[in-house]
Amino acid sequence: MATDRGKVWLGVAAIIENTNGEWLLVKKTYGGLKGAWSLPAGFVQQAETVTTAVIREVKEETGVACEVKGLIGFRSGVIMNDISDNMAIFYCQPVEENPAIHIQEREIAEACWLTPSLILENEHTSIMLKEMAQEHVKQHIHPIIEGVNPGDVFGYSEYHLFFKK
């Protein structure tokens, strides 16, 4: 479904790591990442937190249910001096130990589990993914801090903080 996002975009992406140390990757069927290995990703929708959005996007694109363990980082850029393009990148783990992958064929051409070393060797890996595969991402996780109420005056129905301890 096409949606007018305006000129400020907020997206989410996830490194989903299984017990073998492999990351869940996708190849998109469209856009600038068409044919390149990248992370499951998408846009935050109205009335969604970034954590809700990333869980939804991973499930929609790959069929894998995951849980957010923390925030790895944030990517921000401006497209053609016009659109603010921002993305929160999360560290997640699958809910099941060996989940089956079921791709959303309209958006995803292929999905698989790869180790960071194989990600670095693969010629079809996106630039951002190669950068992340070089890092030890677990050292960079900012865990979710739950149960904080910034004040009833704001009327938050859901609220999360992310800080590295």
Side-chain angles (χ1 to χ4, degrees):
M1 172 187 345
T3 304
D4 181 15
R5 290 180 182 60
K7 301 226 179 204
V8 179
W9 296 353
L10 179 58
V12 291
I15 291 177
I16 303 101
E17 185 174 40
N18 66 20
T19 55
N20 298 323
E22 299 165 318
W23 296 1
L24 180 58
L25 305 181
V26 297
K27 281 188 180 178
K28 303 277 186 187
T29 60
Y30 64 94
L33 292 175
K34 182 178 181 176
W37 288 115
S38 61
L39 299 173
F43 291 101
V44 178
Q45 297 176 355
Q46 181 177 348
E48 249 184 352
T49 64
V50 289
T51 54
T52 302
V54 78
I55 290 167
R56 174 186 51 76
E57 283 291 344
V58 170
K59 183 75 169 169
E60 284 177 2
E61 291 186 359
T62 68
V64 174
C66 68
E67 55 187 0
V68 175
K69 295 300 185 178
L71 179 71
I72 292 173
F74 198 84
R75 191 256 304 139
S76 184
V78 177
I79 300 171
M80 297 184 198
N81 293 313
D82 190 40
I83 296 171
S84 176
D85 181 21
N86 305 284
M87 179 176 283
I89 305 161
F90 292 93
Y91 177 77
C92 301
Q93 292 176 331
V95 172
E96 298 176 28
E97 189 166 332
N98 294 307
I101 297 172
H102 302 284
I103 63 169
Q104 179 188 45
E105 293 178 1
R106 190 179 86 250
E107 292 185 16
I108 306 301
E110 203 176 337
C112 73
W113 295 95
L114 284 179
T115 62
S117 60
L118 290 176
I119 290 168
L120 288 170
E121 293 174 14
N122 192 297
E123 65 182 296
H124 300 291
T125 299
S126 70
I127 293 168
M128 185 176 88
L129 184 55
K130 278 195 185 225
E131 287 296 317
M132 287 188 281
Q134 291 180 63
E135 297 294 324
H136 298 282
V137 295
K138 287 184 182 177
Q139 296 173 8
H140 302 287
I141 297 172
H142 300 270
I144 302 173
I145 300 169
E146 303 279 4
V148 176
N149 181 353
D152 292 338
V153 66
F154 295 107
Y156 284 105
S157 56
E158 193 171 345
Y159 188 85
H160 307 289
L161 291 173
F162 298 89
F163 289 108
K164 188 162 182 179
K165 295 180 179 187

